[in-house]
Amino acid sequence: MPALWTPSDKLLLASMSATRLALLVSAGLPVETQDSAIDERAVEHAAVHEGLDPPALAARLAEEKALAVSRRHPDRVVIGADQVLACEGRVFHKPADRPAAEAQLMALSGRRHALHSAGALAIGGQVVERILGTAHLTMRPLTEEAVELYLDLAGPDVLRSVGVYQLEGFGVHLFEAVEGDHSTILGLPLLPLLASLRRLGCLAL
């Protein structure tokens, strides 16, 4: 059987995200995962002091993840990724609990927000490719009762999402408009990533 992936070792994903792993596997890439173990809030705090905007913050987080794992495995191709949600000048994070999720959904209700998804490819402890995609989503106006019902239906897994929604599931009911690539919304712009891997000679197709 012909091989799509040309390196001898699998692509190393610097994340434990099941969604990003599924995206890469769906594209036929052989993937292993490893937690980057970086302090994301510390990286973000430093980035805010540097005045980085949300897209640049997503890029910085992706790079730090890729570099952390690449330094441990300098002979591997490593992909780091991160996503930043911004709405009217505010950056949102994954909610710590259900009350935080409820408050976050009410803050996004009736508003258009941006999802900035960044990726960084690293080899030998150096970032060799960077990718960035942005999608815009408009959440329909929601009542507190609708938010409660949605969270009951969606279950605790949505707390792992920065926007408290999974568009491929019950989250689709929250929106009136979606602008952007689906993989960007899921947290990893797949087409730019594949283009980067081709430039590096990692793909036969």
Side-chain angles (χ1 to χ4, degrees):
M1 181 177 178
L4 171 67
W5 180 252
T6 61
S8 56
D9 291 313
K10 296 179 179 180
L11 177 64
L12 191 50
L13 173 62
S15 168
M16 302 307 291
S17 166
T19 301
R20 291 190 179 103
L21 174 61
L23 273 174
L24 295 169
V25 170
S26 72
L29 302 180
V31 189
E32 292 178 2
T33 61
Q34 186 172 120
D35 191 349
S36 67
I38 69 165
D39 185 340
E40 294 186 39
R41 297 290 77 82
V43 172
E44 181 173 329
H45 184 72
V48 168
H49 276 280
E50 292 178 36
L52 298 187
D53 62 9
L57 172 59
R60 174 68 61 82
L61 288 163
E63 290 172 12
E64 292 296 332
K65 289 180 178 181
L67 289 172
V69 174
S70 183
R71 292 183 188 112
R72 296 178 217 146
H73 304 278
D75 56 333
R76 302 283 294 275
V77 180
V78 178
I79 174 69
D82 210 286
Q83 186 178 64
V84 170
L85 188 157
C87 181
E88 299 178 0
R90 177 183 171 189
V91 171
F92 287 75
H93 304 289
K94 294 176 184 177
D97 50 30
R98 177 158 174 151
E102 293 169 359
Q104 189 152 314
L105 287 170
M106 292 307 297
L108 295 174
S109 171
R111 294 181 172 89
R112 183 176 184 260
H113 65 264
L115 283 176
H116 305 287
S117 295
L121 285 163
I123 301 173
Q126 300 289 329
V127 174
V128 294
E129 290 277 342
R130 295 171 175 84
I131 61 172
L132 180 68
T134 296
H136 292 92
L137 298 90
T138 302
M139 196 171 283
R140 63 187 183 86
L142 301 170
T143 63
E144 291 183 1
E145 291 77 15
V147 167
E148 290 285 347
L149 175 59
Y150 163 69
L151 290 173
D152 287 341
L153 291 169
D157 279 353
V158 292
L159 297 181
R160 301 175 187 170
S161 167
V162 66
V164 204
Y165 55 80
Q166 294 168 334
L167 202 65
E168 65 275 26
F170 284 107
V172 72
H173 294 277
L174 303 178
F175 294 95
E176 60 184 35
V178 175
E179 311 157 61
D181 180 77
H182 189 63
S183 64
T184 294
I185 294 167
L186 295 183
L188 185 60
L190 193 55
L191 293 179
L193 171 61
L194 295 177
S196 289
L197 290 171
R198 288 188 199 100
R199 281 192 293 272
L200 293 173
C202 295
L203 295 178
L205 179 60

